Amino acid sequence: MRRSLAVLVAVLITATACGQSGSPASPAGSAAAPTAAAAEKPVPGGRIVVGSISDVKTLQPVISADSASSDVWGYVYLGLLRTNQTTGDLEPGLAEKFEMSTDGLTVTYTLRDGLVWSDSTPFTADDYKYTAEAVARSKKTTRKSTFQDVVGWKDYVDGNADEVTGIQSSGGGKVITIKLAKALCAALRNLSAAGTGGIIPKASFVKVWNNKTKDVSTNIDDNPLNMNPPASIGPFVFKEFKAGVSATLVRNEKYFRGAPLIDELVVKVYADQAAVKAALLSGELSYGTVAPADVDEVQKTGGDKLTFYRNKGVASYNFISWNQKADKAPWLASKEVRQALWYGLNVKTIVDKVVLGYGHQVFAHTPQASWAYDDTGFTKYDYSVEKAKGLLEKAGAKMGTDGVYRWTDGKPMTMRIETNSGNNVRETVVQVAQEQYKAIGIKIDPLIESFPALLDRAVPEVTDTEGIVLGWSLGLDPDLYSIWHSSQQGKGQFNWIHYASPTVDKAIEDGRNGPDCSTAARKKAYAAVNKALNEDAPYTFLYTGDALVFASKQIQAFQPAVYSTASGWNIEKWWIKK
């Protein structure tokens, strides 16, 4: 899973990376894919400049946990499979064939012929195994749970073996076979990117870390190549990174789908969404995402040179997380208090007035577009100051003379809500929460910080956080393990709010490992998890936002789709019409 602009990417496989999920139906308000230039001969050359409001933290997939980073390295490092941009189904990527055994214990991927890295080194099963073993020994990764059911995984993690025996190569490095100790229902999808979302080149990285070792003190976490990718298997090759400014990529002449027509792709960092809007209107940007409040202005002012694309959000959502082990807010351990915080925030108004209807309200983790979605029995938490105060008092809080509740220890119920700077919608959510929570007797101190700084705080080992406004960018399989299982509270993992429920753990495990991996059985298990999350309110679940993209009309073959909102699925075909 990955933290999407507020999202932890880390989740790519479990909830990760940029794979979008949802209904393949064309959403109302979307621009039709351009067809006028279909008969024209593409003209190679030129550069595409993309706008971002968050800087890259790392270009190493093994330790990456945010979408700002994966939005760059995702053009360099790929997985074995990819998601069809229209249907959301798995389709061939670097692997031309993929299958799971009838007992669910063996996964096999067969690579395409002739795959080579940009430096002409052959791409083989050894690259996949090296990447997986880099995850195993990393101290910074959030990806280990992806592989925990692979035979020999724990022995390698613990240094009792010098390889993961359950990952094997055959057919001259063309066939990858993975043996599982128990069924993993989403194995084909979740294992296809070596636990990271992108496979790295062994020939380059083995020079800085040798995976054939029992020494668990060594790993890939800190080396210059993590910010300087040495070779690419994707459409672009890394050129340079300037912190806080831009990341530049150039065409990969050896890309297996065909060398891109454009020479250069630049991801440029801007202070906020207002700056992105200005850059779009000035022509500085080729394409970018805008805030809901800016859509009308950009359409009106830039409609002659920009095309608007709107796709329904299908694999992401925004939330306020509540740290149940917060040092300065012990009341967050109370379910009644967390429910009060949900009742005390008018989420519907946020969707209507802040998001301006470019999204929909959510009440639990699994997206509405997922086959696993089931909202039976959900509480909808309609805004009610009266209900919120009633729950606070039921939990033991007493109103002070200053209009702020006192907790059972006599301390005022004052706490912090933080989010990332530059995201105007999230900043506004914090402002709304500050005002509306004042009405229920809770004082909020807002903290707006850089996205990398926020991600550094949204981890289990940091206990001086209370509320955090972030978002998840989820994978297409509904597995919830890496975010909600109680075991995922280790260093750098995603359960930073310390949520724990034996019942939820068991349901997550049933949906993840079966033994019944049928759609019906998994849907039942995940329905139970979502019902519990809706009741326990570990987050105040907010909304799924639509993708609101403007692109220069000069870009030809730019065709955003439900599962590829930035049109990256066919980027090798883009060209610039002068």
Side-chain angles (χ1 to χ4, degrees):
M1 304 159 195
R2 180 175 72 189
R3 298 185 264 205
S4 137
L5 282 183
V7 148
L8 306 173
V9 152
V11 176
L12 200 157
I13 321 239
T14 46
T16 199
C18 283
Q20 311 253 359
S21 158
S23 167
S26 296
S30 298
T35 57
E40 297 184 53
K41 183 177 180 180
V43 178
R47 69 161 26 184
I48 296 289
V49 183
V50 187
S52 174
I53 60 170
S54 299
D55 201 11
V56 168
K57 285 198 69 177
T58 181
L59 294 173
Q60 171 55 266
V62 170
I63 59 175
S64 177
D66 66 289
S67 59
S69 295
S70 63
D71 284 348
V72 176
W73 62 250
Y75 288 119
V76 175
Y77 301 130
L78 305 180
L80 301 178
L81 307 178
R82 74 174 189 175
T83 297
N84 181 275
Q85 74 279 1
T86 302
T87 67
D89 296 332
L90 282 176
E91 65 179 25
L94 299 173
E96 62 180 358
K97 298 178 183 177
F98 48 99
E99 62 181 350
M100 181 184 290
S101 62
T102 54
D103 62 5
L105 297 179
T106 304
V107 174
T108 305
Y109 302 102
T110 303
L111 301 179
R112 295 174 185 267
D113 291 331
L115 291 173
V116 294
W117 292 92
S118 58
D119 63 0
S120 298
T121 303
F123 179 96
T124 72
D126 285 345
D127 294 305
Y128 179 95
K129 185 168 184 174
Y130 180 87
T131 305
E133 291 177 346
V135 171
R137 291 286 171 81
S138 172
K139 306 299 183 185
K140 295 182 178 181
T141 189
T142 59
R143 316 289 190 169
K144 283 186 168 67
S145 65
T146 303
F147 285 106
Q148 65 187 30
D149 298 321
V150 173
V151 171
W153 177 256
K154 189 174 187 305
D155 284 340
Y156 187 75
V157 170
D158 294 342
N160 297 322
D162 64 0
E163 68 166 330
V164 178
T165 56
I167 303 175
Q168 292 297 322
S169 168
S170 61
K174 187 178 177 182
V175 179
I176 301 165
T177 303
I178 304 172
K179 297 289 186 180
L180 298 167
K182 59 181 177 180
L184 180 62
C185 297
L188 277 174
R189 185 182 293 276
N190 287 2
L191 298 178
S192 68
T196 66
I199 297 165
I200 61 177
K202 176 181 178 178
S204 298
F205 278 93
V206 75
K207 298 172 185 176
V208 297
W209 177 72
N210 188 348
N211 58 318
K212 194 70 174 176
T213 178
K214 293 182 179 180
D215 183 359
V216 299
S217 68
T218 63
N219 55 56
I220 206 169
D221 290 350
D222 299 297
N223 71 81
L225 296 184
N226 287 351
M227 292 304 296
N228 187 22
S232 171
I233 197 67
F236 293 96
V237 178
F238 174 78
K239 180 180 179 181
E240 66 176 353
F241 170 69
K242 297 179 180 178
V245 179
S246 63
T248 303
L249 309 172
V250 295
R251 174 173 55 226
N252 180 5
E253 300 290 352
K254 297 181 174 61
Y255 182 45
F256 73 95
R257 296 186 189 276
L261 294 168
I262 59 175
D263 293 329
E264 196 170 73
L265 178 72
V266 179
V267 179
K268 190 170 182 179
V269 181
Y270 290 86
D272 53 29
Q273 290 170 312
V276 170
K277 175 188 69 175
L280 280 167
L281 291 173
S282 71
E284 180 179 317
L285 283 181
S286 305
Y287 75 89
T289 300
V290 303
D294 294 330
V295 170
D296 287 348
E297 179 186 349
V298 178
Q299 282 186 305
K300 181 178 179 179
T301 307
D304 59 330
K305 57 186 178 183
L306 297 170
T307 301
F308 176 49
Y309 301 88
R310 175 188 179 185
N311 279 280
K312 293 293 185 184
V314 293
S316 63
Y317 67 86
N318 289 269
F319 56 84
I320 307 177
S321 65
W322 303 114
N323 185 0
Q324 295 179 33
K325 291 188 177 180
D327 294 334
K328 298 177 182 178
W331 49 84
L332 290 175
S334 166
K335 179 172 72 174
E336 287 78 13
V337 170
R338 298 193 302 270
Q339 290 175 337
L341 290 167
W342 203 338
Y343 276 118
L345 186 65
N346 196 333
V347 180
K348 185 178 185 304
T349 294
I350 289 173
V351 174
D352 292 342
K353 303 299 183 182
V354 180
V355 185
L356 300 179
Y358 290 114
H360 60 268
Q361 190 172 352
V362 297
F363 302 95
H365 175 88
T366 299
Q368 292 180 15
S370 171
W371 57 262
Y373 181 78
D374 183 351
D375 63 1
T376 303
F378 278 10
T379 298
K380 296 304 175 70
Y381 292 95
D382 295 328
Y383 179 61
S384 173
V385 171
E386 182 180 353
K387 285 183 179 179
K389 287 185 172 182
L391 283 163
L392 290 173
E393 291 172 9
K394 180 181 178 182
K398 297 184 184 301
M399 179 60 76
T401 57
D402 56 358
V404 176
Y405 275 105
R406 264 56 178 176
W407 188 234
T408 54
D409 58 4
K411 294 181 180 178
M413 294 180 72
T414 299
M415 62 183 183
R416 182 169 47 199
I417 296 180
E418 51 198 289
T419 196
N420 56 299
S421 58
N423 188 311
N424 300 341
V425 173
R426 289 189 186 141
E427 290 182 13
T428 303
V429 168
V430 173
Q431 294 169 4
V432 171
Q434 182 181 25
E435 184 63 29
Q436 293 189 345
Y437 286 154
K438 180 180 179 181
I440 67 169
I442 294 180
K443 182 180 178 182
I444 298 299
D445 294 325
L447 174 62
I448 309 299
E449 56 202 315
S450 71
F451 186 54
L454 183 65
L455 294 185
D456 287 342
R457 290 176 53 72
V459 290
E461 60 267 31
V462 176
T463 57
D464 72 338
T465 60
E466 289 95 45
I468 293 179
V469 181
L470 267 175
W472 283 118
S473 178
L474 305 170
L476 294 185
D477 187 85
D479 181 19
L480 303 91
Y481 190 91
S482 67
I483 297 177
W484 295 109
H485 197 276
S486 63
S487 66
Q488 301 302 293
Q489 299 181 37
K491 184 176 180 180
Q493 292 180 316
F494 291 147
N495 189 352
W496 69 80
I497 61 170
H498 305 282
Y499 177 75
S501 165
T503 301
V504 167
D505 282 355
K506 177 62 166 58
I508 289 175
E509 292 160 12
D510 289 345
R512 177 184 173 90
N513 299 114
D516 184 352
C517 285
S518 67
T519 298
R522 297 189 75 203
K523 183 171 183 176
K524 181 179 179 181
Y526 293 137
V529 175
N530 282 292
K531 179 66 170 61
L533 295 177
N534 175 263
E535 180 180 344
D536 293 344
Y539 291 174
T540 292
F541 292 90
L542 298 174
Y543 65 91
T544 289
D546 296 345
L548 308 174
V549 176
F550 281 91
S552 168
K553 290 183 177 180
Q554 290 185 321
I555 307 177
Q556 307 300 296
F558 184 83
Q559 299 173 18
V562 175
Y563 299 95
S564 182
T565 56
S567 187
W569 66 276
N570 72 338
I571 196 168
E572 72 278 3
K573 296 180 180 179
W574 294 6
W575 61 281
I576 301 171
K577 183 178 180 180
K578 300 297 185 181

